[in-house]
Every structure is written in C-alpha cells, then in structure tokens.
Amino acid sequence: MKLTSEQQEIIERIGVFFERKGNQPILGRIMGLLLVLEKAEATFDEIQDYLSVSKSAVSNALTLLQTQNKVEYTTKPGERKRYFRLRVRSWRLDMQEDLEGIFRINVLLKDVLAARSSQNRDFNNCIFEFQSFIEFMRIEMPKLIEKYDQQNS
Amino acid sequence: MKLTSEQQEIIERIGVFFERKGNQPILGRIMGLLLVLEKAEATFDEIQDYLSVSKSAVSNALTLLQTQNKVEYTTKPGERKRYFRLRVRSWRLDMQEDLEGIFRINVLLKDVLAARSSQNRDFNNCIFEFQSFIEFMRIEMPKLIEKYDQQNS
DNA sequence: TTGTTAGTTCATAAAAAAGAGAACTAAAAG
DNA sequence: CTTTTAGTTCTCTTTTTTATGAACTAACAA
C-alpha cells in the first residue's frame, strides 16, 4: 500500500509541528502516519515501509512515543505482530502540560524578582506586571477547561 | 563585576527554559543575564565577560534576539558602546504567539479530518472532539486576556 | 532442536548545530 | 589621514543529533 501525496504532505507538516516542539523528526512523522492511515494503526514494518526508515529508528521512536504515552499497541489473536496506534485520548492532558510549560516562566520570574534589589523600580515593576499576567492566565485556564467540559456533558 | 552564585543559577535555569523552546543556549543565557543584572542592561563586552563566550557568539546571539524583538539597545551621549536590554513590554505578545503555536495543531487536525474517509468513525470522532476542544480554547483565550486587561485598568 | 519472525541494542556514519578565533569593517577620536 | 574602538563576518573545530545496518534476543513454530 502506498500513501497519496496528500497524505504524505500532511505527514510532513505534522512532522514539522512535533519537531519544533523539540522531538526528533521521525517521532512526528510516525504520529502523522497514524493520523492519516484509514485504519489508524500500523505494524512495525508497515511504519518502516511507509516512512522508509531503518528498523532501529522505528524501534527507538516507538519506544519513546510509548514512554511519552503518545502511542500504544494491541496484538491480534494468533498473530505475533504488534499494531501501533495513537493514544488520542491523552492529548488533552498533553496540551495542558504544554500550556503549563509556557506558564512555567512564571516561577523563574518570581525567583528573578526575589533575587533583585529594589533599586531599579521601573524594571522590577515591568517584570512583576508580566508575571501577574501569567499568574492570572494560569489560574483561569483550568476554569476555562471546566467550562468546556460542562458545556459538553 | 562578578555575578553571585544565585544570579548564575537563575541565568542557567532561564537559559534552559529558552533552550527548550528551540533557541540556542546562548540566547537564553543572555536573556537571563539581562534579567538578573541590577541595571537590567549590559554592553557587548560585559555580556562577553559575564558569560565568558566569544565575540562572534555574542554578536550572532544579539542579532537574533533583536530580530526576535526580545532585545533592543540604547546608546549614551559621547559613548560609542551600545547598551543592550530586554524588551519586556513585548513579552505578553510573545506569550500569546507561543499559545497560538500550541493551538496550531488545530489546523493540522482539520486537514487530517478532511483527508480521511468516513470509514473509521470512532477514530474520526476522537480527533474531532480534540479539535473542538482546541477551537474552544482558541476562541476563549483572547476573551480571557481582555478580562485581565479590564481588571487592571 | 532448529528455524523463523518481530523487535531491540550497539557501534558507528552522516549531518546539523553551536561556538571559537582571526580577519575584517565602519565610525568616531585624535 | 591614522588610530582606536565596537561590533560583524567568515572559516573551521567541536559537539550533538539523527539515523543506519549488523549483530543479537526472545518467543513461538515446525
């Protein structure tokens, strides 16, 4: 089975997206592949074939994706192969973590302020204001998520 | 002038924070340095001294930070040196961009859905739900920011 | 027991990123 | 002008990342 050029293009774009988050290229492409395949799953060697990468690269990538809870596998009775697929359910948590990651500058800025004398009031204030803004967002974000869940229940 | 070990430690932590966002190590350290210095500014060679890196590394890093609008410089009458400092005011916009970056998976997932047949309904639904969640966040986030600005005006 | 399949591990090659240091340039100072 | 200062650019080395291919292992199959 071959991928359409539309599928290939999406895989590359998703690859780049995850690569920019600090993952190695193959990880993103595997995610893309599993998103794009109709069955939404693939065996080890299918992944190898579709993406034309080496066994070891696939093995390492899958191990990583599994420890990151992004991928899991099932087996089928009487078959030795594993069928790998995305754990889409966990993505919302992943995204919340990503957001937390952005907001984590907050902690650093608090420490910066603690380490600074009160000498340069203007600058300190500037930092403080930004830091308050993040604190606000950090507190409101969970409320927003709650709101969403109430709307959709 | 020397940095205290507390200052050095904060610089490293801020360095790592920015490095993990995909910037090269020196960029983050320069940001950290400018956050930690009482004057909140430094000349080219002060940066070199404090961080003990080469001229070229400082030059490249500063150029980059300036094109990213993270740093600017002023000059003082009768002096040829430039005084580099952070553009803290723009950080809120930067952060909004970072958030947008996270939410951009949304667009990709829409394209994924468009490229998929209706064959695998379960999976499609799963993607669609996640995608709706992001769309919700993406719409609500600006409102949240507005709310903050109203509270603090 | 021997073979086969499915995947892992290890040693290394290839490519990319980060940074150093010297040569260079532009502008102001003497 | 010539010199000095401040910063830039270029070349090359070091380090890190990414991926390959071959050897290896575990489990089941014949």
Side-chain angles (χ1 to χ4, degrees), chain B residues 97-115:
Chain B
E97 267 171 41
D98 287 350
L99 292 176
E100 258 309 309
I102 286 184
F103 295 148
R104 208 160 350 255
I105 185 72
N106 195 5
V107 180
L108 295 174
L109 291 182
K110 273 187 182 169
D111 290 351
V112 166
L113 284 176

Side-chain angles (χ1 to χ4, degrees), chain B:
Chain B
M1 250 318 242
K2 283 230 54 189
L3 298 167
T4 68
S5 65
E6 188 191 14
Q7 287 177 316
Q8 289 184 359
E9 196 223 309
I10 294 186
I11 290 175
E12 288 312 313
R13 285 203 287 142
I14 291 174
V16 170
F17 182 84
F18 283 100
E19 201 174 338
R20 298 217 330 156
K21 292 220 268 191
N23 299 301
Q24 61 196 84
I26 293 186
L27 297 204
R29 296 217 196 94
I30 292 181
M31 307 265 285
L33 178 67
L34 296 177
L35 273 170
V36 138
L37 291 176
E38 292 298 352
K39 291 182 304 172
E41 62 181 17
T43 63
F44 192 100
D45 45 299
E46 279 171 347
I47 295 174
Q48 233 197 296
D49 283 0
Y50 279 127
L51 303 180
S52 27
V53 286
S54 71
K55 263 181 128 180
S56 48
V58 173
S59 178
N60 287 325
L62 285 176
T63 312
L64 250 169
L65 285 170
Q66 288 174 103
T67 58
Q68 287 177 18
N69 288 323
K70 297 228 187 309
V71 161
E72 64 191 353
Y73 70 81
T74 41
T75 48
K76 304 196 176 178
E79 256 192 85
R80 220 191 295 188
K81 288 184 184 179
R82 300 177 185 167
Y83 288 79
F84 296 92
R85 64 177 183 220
L86 295 171
R87 293 194 45 193
V88 186
R89 308 269 170 208
S90 76
W91 285 11
R92 252 185 62 173
L93 286 175
D94 293 354
M95 215 203 64
Q96 280 170 244
E97 267 171 41
D98 287 350
L99 292 176
E100 258 309 309
I102 286 184
F103 295 148
R104 208 160 350 255
I105 185 72
N106 195 5
V107 180
L108 295 174
L109 291 182
K110 273 187 182 169
D111 290 351
V112 166
L113 284 176
R116 295 181 63 80
S117 80
S118 54
Q119 195 177 308
N120 192 337
R121 200 149 293 187
D122 268 11
F123 185 73
N124 291 358
N125 248 312
C126 211
I127 302 280
F128 180 75
E129 264 171 42
F130 180 62
Q131 195 263 318
S132 309
F133 173 68
I134 298 178
E135 199 137 84
F136 172 83
M137 295 298 278
R138 201 175 193 174
I139 290 166
E140 293 295 321
M141 198 70 71
K143 294 188 196 166
L144 211 53
I145 294 173
E146 224 175 282
K147 185 176 157 194
Y148 177 82
D149 284 334
Q150 278 173 352
Q151 277 182 16
N152 297 70
S153 63

Side-chain angles (χ1 to χ4, degrees), chain A residues 13 17 35 37-39 92 98-99 101-102 111 116-117 120 127 133 136-137 140-141 147-148, chain B residues 13 17 35 37-38 92 98-99 101-102 111 116-117 120 127 133 136-137 140-141 147-148:
Chain A
R13 286 203 285 140
F17 182 84
L35 274 169
L37 290 177
E38 292 297 351
K39 291 183 303 172
R92 253 185 62 173
D98 287 350
L99 292 176
I102 286 185
D111 290 351
R116 294 183 63 82
S117 81
N120 192 337
I127 302 281
F133 172 69
F136 172 83
M137 295 297 278
E140 292 296 321
M141 198 69 69
K147 186 177 157 194
Y148 177 82
Chain B
R13 285 203 287 142
F17 182 84
L35 273 170
L37 291 176
E38 292 298 352
R92 252 185 62 173
D98 287 350
L99 292 176
I102 286 184
D111 290 351
R116 295 181 63 80
S117 80
N120 192 337
I127 302 280
F133 173 68
F136 172 83
M137 295 298 278
E140 293 295 321
M141 198 70 71
K147 185 176 157 194
Y148 177 82

Side-chain angles (χ1 to χ4, degrees), chain A residues 101-143:
Chain A
I102 286 185
F103 295 149
R104 205 156 358 254
I105 185 72
N106 195 6
V107 179
L108 295 173
L109 291 181
K110 272 188 183 169
D111 290 351
V112 165
L113 284 175
R116 294 183 63 82
S117 81
S118 54
Q119 197 177 308
N120 192 337
R121 200 147 296 186
D122 268 10
F123 185 74
N124 291 359
N125 250 311
C126 212
I127 302 281
F128 180 75
E129 264 170 43
F130 179 63
Q131 194 261 315
S132 310
F133 172 69
I134 299 177
E135 199 137 86
F136 172 83
M137 295 297 278
R138 202 176 192 173
I139 290 167
E140 292 296 321
M141 198 69 69
K143 293 187 195 168

